[in-house]
Amino acid sequence: MRHFFLFIFLALSTASFAQDKQLLTISGTVKDAATGETLIGASIVLTDVKPKSTFTNAYGFYSINAIEGTYKMSVSFIGYVTDTITIVMDKSQQLLIGLQFKQAQLATVIISSKRKNENISRPIMGVDKLNMTEMNKIPVIFGEKDILKAIQLMPGYKGAGEGNSGLNVRGGGTDQNLILLDEAPVYNASHLLGFFSTFNSDAIKDVSVYKGGMPAQYGGRLSSVIDVKMKDGNQKKLSIEGGLGTIASRINVSAPIVKDKGSFIISARRTYADVYLSLLKDTGQGKKILYFYDLNLKANYKVSKKDRVFLSGYFGRDDLGLGKEFSTDWGNKTATLRWNHVFGNSLFSNTSLVYSNFDYKIGARVGIAKFSVVSKVEDFNIKQDFDWNITNKSKLRFGGNFINHTIAPGAVTEANAGGIAKPVQTRYSQESALYVSHEWKTSDKIEIVYGLRVSNLAVKGAGNFNTYDKSRNIISTTGYAKGKTVISYFNLEPRFSASYKLNELTSIKASYNRNVQNLHLITNATTSSPTDVWLPSSNNIRPEIADQYAIGFYKNSKEGMFEFTTEVYYKALQNQIDYRNAAVIFGNDNVESELLYGAGRAYGLELMMRKKTGRLTGWVGYTLSKAQKKIDGINNGNYFNARQDRTHDISIVGMYDVNKRWSVSATWVYTTGSAVTFPTGKYEVNGQTVFLYSDRNDSRFPAYHQLDLAATLEARKNKNRRYQSSWTFGLYNAYGRQNAYTINFRENKDDPSKTEAVRTSLFSIIPSATWNFKF
C-alpha cells in the first residue's frame, strides 16, 4: 500500500512543479446540440501564442486553464461542425457547448482520430476508436451491424473463427479481454455462438479498444479492454429508430424525462430464426428453437449544475433447442448506477455501483435420463474514479474498486434414471485495486503517461480446497468456513507510455504495461463457446501475469488524407493454464487436477495504412505474429503453438460514396488457419480403431479467407417528412468460400485401411436486406 501512496506523492509533486501561477479555469460539457447527447473525446483548443488544448472525458466533461485575458475557443468533434467561441477569462466559469451534426457527412473512416494529427501527439499507443455512424457501412452477416466484427478488421485483433464466440488480441486467449458495457463486465459478448455480438449498435455511443499501453484504471485481463458506452438518450424530443432485417429486427426509443435535464433510452432487438425453423419439415425430434434477444435500458438526470446520475441496464439471452433431446440457453444481465460530481472546476468524480451476471444451462436426454449442466458468474462491484485537470500539461487520474465474485462452475444433475448428481462447489473471491495515472506534456515534443495499479485477490470460503502432488493426485483437503480467507495474491502493475514527435506529422511511441488476471476460462475444446467454465484463482491456480513491451512509428500525410501506423510488441506471460489430454471439465469438482501450468510468449508486427478523406475511404491492415506456450507435461516441456496462434492476418476494407444516396463497401480478410491437434496414425485395440495424435497444436486448419459486400441506399430527402429511412443490402461470403468449422477423421467405408478427413462448413453465400428508419 505504501508504494501506491508514494506514487501519488511523486505524481502530485511533478504536477505541482509544472503548475502555472494564478490560473483561471473554464469547464463544462460538450453535447450534441440536437439531442443533448454528451460527446466523448471532443477537442477543446484555446488559441493563444501557445495554443492550449484538452479533450472531454467519458462523460463529456472538460476543464482547461488560462491566465486572465480574451481567447478564441475552438470546439470540434468528428462528424460535427466546429464551433469557435470568444471567451473573456476574468474569472473561472462553466460553459455548456452544443455542436451541430454535419448532415452531409461523406468520408470519415470507422477508426479515426478526434482531431487532426491527434494520433501523432497522444502518448497512449495501441488504442482504437469506433465511429458508430460510419459503422453502418461495414458488411456483416445477415446485415446486422456489429462492433466486435468491426474490431476484428483491425491489426492485432483476430476472431476465434466462424461460429466461435472468442476474440484473440495480440496472441492472448479468448478470456483475456475485458469487455465493459457502461462499466459492467460482459463475460460472454456473443449471440448465436459468435455470429452476432451482444451489442445492439443503435444503443451504443462510443467504443474504445486498448490492446497496448493500457491505462491504469483498467485491470483484471491480460490482453485488451473493449470499453463500450451506451447512449444517454435524446434530451430534446421523442426519437424512434430501428430496422427490419432478414434475420432480426430492432427498435430504439429515446425521449426527455425533463427537457434539457434528463432523458431515457430503450433499445430492443430479437431474431426470428425460430419462425423459419417452424416452417421446416417435422423430423419427429420435436420443436426446434433458435433465437436471441437483447434489451438495453438507460436513464440520466441532471440533479444540479455539478451533479448528474445515471442508471443503465442490459438483458440478453440465447435459446437453442431440439425438442426434448437437447437445449442450451445462456445470457447476460448487467446494471450500473453512477453519480457524477464536479469539485470546483477541475476535479471530476464518478462513483459507480455495478452488477453483472452471466449464466448458462445445458439440457440433454439420453434414453430415459435427463441431464442438465448449469453455471453462473456473478459480480458486485463498487468503483470510485477521479479526473483532475491540474494544468493544461498535467492531468491526474486516480481511484479504486472492489469486486465480489461468486462463481458456480458447471454442475451436472440427472433426473429419471436414479437422480445422479455431480455437484460442483461454488467459489467466492474478492478483488480490490487502487490506481493512479499521470499524463504529462513535458515539452512540445514529448508526452508521457505513467501509472501504477495495486491489485489484490482474496480467495474466500466456504468450501473444501485440495492440495496436489506433481502427478496431480490429492495429498490433502482443507475445509474453510464462509468468509474465511484461503489465500491472497498481491500484485503491482506498473504502466508507462510515451510519445516523441519527430515533426508535426511523424512520431515514435513506446510503452510497457503489466496486467494481472484473476479469473480464468477453462475449456479443452478446439473452439470457444458460451458454455466454457470460468474459475477464479485458488490455492492451486495462480493469477496470470503479462508483461507487454511495444514500440511504434506513426506517420500522417501532409494534407491529412493518409495515416500509416506500425507497431511491434512482445508479451511475456506467467502462470498460463492448459489441460491434460482428455480432460473432464463439466461436473468435475476436482477440475484443478486436470490443469497444467507454465509460461507463454507472444510477439508480432502490425501494419496499417488508411485513407481518411475523399469519396473512397478505408484501410489495409496486416499482422505477422506468433503465440506459444511452454507447459510442464506437454510436448516434453518445449514451446508449442497456442491454439490462437495464426502467423498471417490481412484485412482490406473499402467504402465508396457513389453519390449522396448510394454508398458501397467491401471487406476481404485472410488469416492462417488456427493451430490444432490432428491424428498422425492409428492402431487397433480389441477390434476398435484408435487414432494416434501429433504433438499438441502441431497441425493447422486450412487458411480462412472471405469477401463480404454491402450497399446502402438513403431515401430521398423530403422536407415535409418527419422521418428518415434507408436500405442496406449485403452479400456475405460473396465467392462462396467453404471455410472449415470442424474437421473430423474417420475410416473410409470402402477401404478401412484409409483414413479420410471430413470438413464441415457453416455458410456459403448469404444475401441480406435491412430497412432502417428514424422518426
Side-chain angles (χ1 to χ4, degrees):
M1 189 64 67
R2 64 177 181 270
H3 298 87
F4 178 77
F5 289 110
L6 177 61
F7 193 91
I8 289 182
F9 173 76
L10 292 173
L12 290 174
S13 299
T14 305
S16 299
F17 180 77
Q19 186 168 333
D20 299 325
K21 295 181 179 180
Q22 298 178 345
L23 289 176
L24 299 174
T25 302
I26 182 168
S27 61
T29 55
V30 179
K31 296 186 176 184
D32 183 310
T35 66
E37 192 80 43
T38 56
L39 301 179
I40 300 172
S43 171
I44 297 94
V45 179
L46 282 181
T47 58
D48 196 357
V49 178
K50 281 192 173 183
K52 305 168 180 64
S53 63
T54 190
F55 297 88
T56 56
N57 69 5
Y59 299 92
F61 175 80
Y62 72 93
S63 176
I64 194 167
N65 302 312
I67 60 174
E68 186 175 347
T70 300
Y71 301 87
K72 295 288 187 182
M73 187 166 78
S74 176
V75 185
S76 60
F77 187 74
I78 187 170
Y80 286 75
V81 179
T82 299
D83 193 8
T84 302
I85 308 165
T86 299
I87 301 295
V88 179
M89 293 287 285
D90 55 2
K91 62 180 180 179
S92 293
Q93 54 191 285
Q94 291 186 336
L95 181 63
L96 171 65
I97 302 167
L99 297 183
Q100 298 288 339
F101 184 74
K102 290 180 182 178
Q103 296 297 324
Q105 180 182 343
L106 275 183
T108 54
V109 299
I110 289 180
I111 305 104
S112 180
S113 301
K114 290 292 186 292
R115 64 179 172 87
K116 186 177 180 181
N117 298 329
E118 178 201 350
N119 64 314
I120 300 298
S121 59
R122 293 299 296 273
I124 297 294
M125 62 184 301
V127 58
D128 297 296
K129 303 284 288 185
L130 298 190
N131 184 319
M132 301 309 299
T133 302
E134 291 299 313
M135 205 188 76
N136 297 345
K137 297 181 180 180
I138 290 289
V140 290
I141 189 170
F142 299 121
E144 283 294 300
K145 296 175 289 185
D146 197 317
I147 63 173
L148 291 187
K149 298 300 182 185
I151 290 171
Q152 294 171 23
L153 295 171
M154 297 182 286
Y157 307 93
K158 301 179 181 181
E162 195 164 65
N164 297 306
S165 59
L167 178 67
N168 303 124
V169 180
R170 287 189 167 176
T174 57
D175 64 328
Q176 294 178 2
N177 308 301
L178 179 62
I179 302 176
L180 300 172
L181 178 61
D182 272 4
E183 302 183 23
V186 178
Y187 281 92
N188 186 276
S190 70
H191 285 307
L192 292 185
L193 300 175
F195 292 109
F196 304 92
S197 80
T198 56
F199 302 114
N200 182 351
S201 297
D202 287 346
I204 302 305
K205 173 168 62 175
D206 182 83
V207 182
S208 299
V209 189
Y210 301 88
K211 61 184 176 182
M214 198 177 298
Q217 65 264 29
Y218 298 112
R221 300 294 187 274
L222 299 187
S223 294
S224 76
V225 175
I226 302 173
D227 193 354
V228 182
K229 297 288 194 303
M230 288 171 53
K231 292 178 180 177
D232 297 329
N234 196 318
Q235 293 190 9
K236 305 291 185 179
K237 62 181 180 179
L238 173 67
S239 174
I240 302 174
E241 60 182 313
L244 301 174
T246 52
I247 194 68
S249 292
R250 62 189 195 279
I251 186 75
N252 188 79
V253 180
S254 67
I257 298 174
V258 176
K259 190 174 181 180
D260 294 326
K261 292 195 69 174
S263 59
F264 72 88
I265 183 172
I266 302 173
S267 188
R269 177 175 59 161
R270 191 193 190 279
T271 60
Y272 25 79
D274 49 333
V275 177
Y276 297 144
L277 290 175
S278 66
L279 302 176
L280 298 177
K281 183 180 179 181
D282 186 3
T283 60
Q285 295 175 306
K287 184 179 180 180
K288 303 175 183 65
I289 301 172
L290 177 62
Y291 73 89
F292 73 79
Y293 71 85
D294 44 37
L295 177 67
N296 295 79
L297 305 167
K298 190 172 183 179
N300 73 95
Y301 189 77
K302 185 178 180 181
V303 180
S304 69
K305 288 184 177 180
K306 294 191 174 185
D307 296 275
R308 181 176 289 275
V309 292
F310 301 80
L311 178 62
S312 59
Y314 169 80
F315 308 90
R317 197 124 201 115
D318 283 68
D319 198 352
L320 288 75
L322 184 62
K324 298 180 179 179
E325 301 300 317
F326 174 79
S327 67
T328 178
D329 65 271
W330 68 90
N332 295 277
K333 296 187 287 287
T334 71
T336 306
L337 175 63
R338 288 174 291 177
W339 169 40
N340 289 172
H341 179 74
V342 180
F343 295 92
N345 292 303
S346 300
L347 182 59
F348 181 90
S349 167
N350 176 64
T351 306
S352 302
L353 298 176
V354 182
Y355 172 77
S356 176
N357 180 290
F358 168 70
D359 69 279
Y360 68 78
K361 181 178 180 180
I362 304 172
R365 186 174 69 176
V366 181
I368 63 170
K370 294 181 179 180
F371 293 92
S372 65
V373 182
V374 295
S375 182
K376 179 184 75 170
V377 181
E378 184 178 61
D379 288 349
F380 290 93
N381 183 8
I382 181 169
K383 294 174 72 267
Q384 177 61 57
D385 300 292
F386 292 99
D387 289 356
W388 185 10
N389 294 313
I390 303 171
T391 71
N392 298 326
K393 295 182 178 181
S394 180
K395 304 178 189 297
L396 195 68
R397 183 161 188 166
F398 57 98
N401 73 302
F402 175 85
I403 309 174
N404 189 81
H405 299 290
T406 302
I407 300 180
V412 178
T413 58
E414 183 276 329
N416 297 342
I420 302 170
K422 290 185 177 181
V424 179
Q425 295 180 87
T426 298
R427 293 302 188 187
Y428 306 93
S429 59
Q430 295 174 347
E431 193 170 357
S432 56
L434 295 172
Y435 73 89
V436 62
S437 179
H438 183 212
E439 184 173 345
W440 185 23
K441 185 176 182 180
T442 63
S443 68
D444 291 338
K445 290 183 174 293
I446 300 175
E447 293 188 36
I448 62 174
V449 176
Y450 58 99
L452 177 67
R453 185 178 182 87
V454 181
S455 62
N456 184 75
L457 178 79
V459 180
K460 297 288 186 176
N464 296 321
F465 291 79
N466 299 326
T467 302
Y468 302 90
D469 60 20
K470 292 183 178 180
S471 299
R472 312 307 296 163
N473 299 310
I474 298 175
I475 57 176
S476 67
T477 301
T478 304
Y480 290 84
K482 183 177 181 181
K484 182 73 173 179
T485 299
V486 179
I487 192 171
S488 293
Y489 294 102
F490 176 85
N491 284 286
L492 298 177
E493 304 175 44
R495 315 284 173 87
F496 175 83
S497 297
S499 67
Y500 179 78
K501 290 172 61 174
L502 301 175
N503 54 53
E504 289 301 314
L505 300 175
T506 311
S507 70
I508 56 175
K509 300 181 186 181
S511 70
Y512 162 75
N513 60 85
R514 165 168 284 199
N515 292 293
V516 174
Q517 180 164 331
N518 292 303
L519 301 183
H520 320 276
L521 193 63
I522 308 300
T523 177
N524 62 346
T526 56
T527 60
S528 300
S529 78
T531 55
D532 294 334
V533 175
W534 285 90
L535 282 180
S537 295
S538 67
N539 57 317
N540 297 299
I541 306 174
R542 299 181 62 84
E544 298 176 66
I545 299 174
D547 292 284
Q548 183 178 184
Y549 309 83
I551 188 169
F553 175 80
Y554 306 81
K555 176 70 175 179
N556 291 351
S557 63
K558 187 174 182 180
E559 67 281 3
M561 180 176 290
F562 293 98
E563 287 182 1
F564 173 75
T565 301
T566 178
E567 293 187 5
V568 179
Y569 67 90
Y570 181 86
K571 191 187 299 183
L573 301 116
Q574 304 176 42
N575 305 327
Q576 296 299 285
I577 302 174
D578 217 304
Y579 319 97
R580 293 184 173 196
N581 293 328
V584 177
I585 303 300
F586 289 130
N588 187 353
D589 198 31
N590 191 28
V591 68
E592 292 181 3
S593 66
E594 306 281 7
L595 306 182
L596 302 172
Y597 308 97
R601 63 187 181 189
Y603 49 91
L605 166 69
E606 298 168 358
L607 303 173
M608 189 171 188
M609 171 69 80
R610 58 188 172 196
K611 186 174 183 291
K612 297 176 58 180
T613 62
R615 297 174 69 178
L616 174 64
T617 59
W619 67 89
V620 177
Y622 171 71
T623 303
L624 174 67
S625 61
K626 194 68 181 175
Q628 296 177 307
K629 288 184 177 182
K630 186 177 182 181
I631 306 290
D632 290 338
I634 299 178
N635 291 9
N636 298 316
N638 298 316
Y639 273 108
F640 62 94
N641 294 326
R643 188 176 60 186
Q644 61 270 19
D645 176 68
R646 283 178 282 175
T647 309
H648 303 285
D649 187 89
I650 303 171
S651 59
I652 301 174
V653 178
M655 293 168 281
Y656 182 72
D657 292 301
V658 180
N659 52 45
K660 290 184 178 181
R661 295 187 62 203
W662 276 101
S663 64
V664 295
S665 62
T667 64
W668 184 78
V669 296
Y670 172 93
T671 183
T672 303
S674 299
V676 291
T677 306
F678 283 154
T680 56
K682 62 181 180 180
Y683 55 92
E684 189 173 292
V685 177
N686 296 327
Q688 298 293 321
T689 299
V690 179
F691 288 108
L692 178 66
Y693 286 86
S694 65
D695 288 341
R696 183 77 61 92
N697 296 341
D698 200 38
S699 302
R700 289 196 180 273
F701 267 33
Y704 179 100
H705 55 88
Q706 183 171 298
L707 173 68
D708 300 328
L709 305 172
T712 299
L713 172 64
E714 300 285 345
R716 293 185 181 277
K717 303 295 182 182
N718 189 327
K719 294 183 179 180
N720 297 323
R721 291 184 177 180
R722 299 183 59 186
Y723 67 89
Q724 305 170 21
S725 65
S726 66
W727 281 93
T728 300
F729 306 96
L731 194 62
Y732 179 83
N733 196 9
Y735 54 77
R737 166 70 175 177
Q738 297 294 305
N739 289 302
Y741 174 60
T742 61
I743 296 179
N744 296 313
F745 292 83
R746 66 186 183 191
E747 291 183 344
N748 184 284
K749 292 181 179 180
D750 299 325
D751 185 356
S753 65
K754 296 181 179 179
T755 301
E756 56 187 11
V758 180
R759 177 193 298 196
T760 301
S761 301
L762 293 178
F763 296 120
S764 184
I765 301 172
I766 300 178
S768 64
T770 303
W771 177 59
N772 306 292
F773 59 87
K774 183 176 182 180
F775 294 91

